[in-house]
Amino acid sequence: TLMAMRKAPLLFVVALALHSSFALAAVSSVAEGCVPGEVITVDGSGCALCQEGTFSSEPQAAKCKECVEGEYQSTTGQTRCDACEEGTYQNGTAQSHCERCGAGTFGEWTQQSSCETCSAGKYASYEGQTHCQGC
């Protein structure tokens, strides 16, 4: 009986180790299937698309990254964010679109987080202008 008592804990440890290895292998096989643009679900049971305003550039990502100021992403499941075009800006993070520069302002460059005000003696009559015109 002493020998049986010594084997029981050992069998329990082996069974626990086998059970743990199986669980880790199951999560890992799901994770291996997640491609860029997707993340592993919270419960580890599958993959989910990154939402608008976010992206994932690496396979098996645990979390989507937010688009930074001056960038946006309007589609789910993407691997990068897009730069705001000239005449537009985005001053927030994790955004799905860019805003047009208002009248009296302009956006000369891509990936801007704000628009510039026209200097004295110049104007921008319309939204989304890339430069100001002289009076």
Side-chain angles (χ1 to χ4, degrees):
T1 61
L2 182 58
M3 189 59 121
M5 285 176 36
R6 286 187 182 164
K7 288 184 181 179
L10 182 58
L11 289 174
F12 175 74
V13 171
V14 170
L16 183 59
L18 288 174
H19 177 69
S20 297
S21 295
F22 176 74
L24 291 174
V27 170
S28 149
S29 66
V30 169
E32 289 173 9
C34 295
V35 298
E38 297 178 339
V39 290
I40 303 166
T41 57
V42 175
D43 65 3
S45 64
C47 303
L49 294 175
C50 291
Q51 297 303 300
E52 294 177 353
T54 67
F55 71 100
S56 167
S57 58
E58 301 293 325
Q60 305 169 18
K63 184 178 178 184
C64 296
K65 297 177 184 176
E66 294 184 345
C67 297
V68 298
E69 292 182 357
E71 296 181 351
Y72 73 100
Q73 184 45 258
S74 60
T75 310
T76 60
Q78 298 303 301
T79 59
R80 64 177 175 81
C81 294
D82 296 318
C84 294
E85 297 177 5
E86 294 101 347
T88 68
Y89 72 99
Q90 183 46 259
N91 61 4
T93 60
Q95 299 299 309
S96 62
H97 64 281
C98 296
E99 303 290 338
R100 291 193 296 182
C101 294
T105 66
F106 68 102
E108 186 176 4
W109 312 105
T110 62
Q111 205 170 358
Q112 288 190 197
S113 59
S114 63
C115 298
E116 297 178 49
T117 303
C118 294
S119 58
K122 295 190 175 192
Y123 69 97
S125 302
Y126 306 101
E127 291 183 340
Q129 290 197 241
T130 58
H131 62 278
C132 298
Q133 293 132 346
C135 294

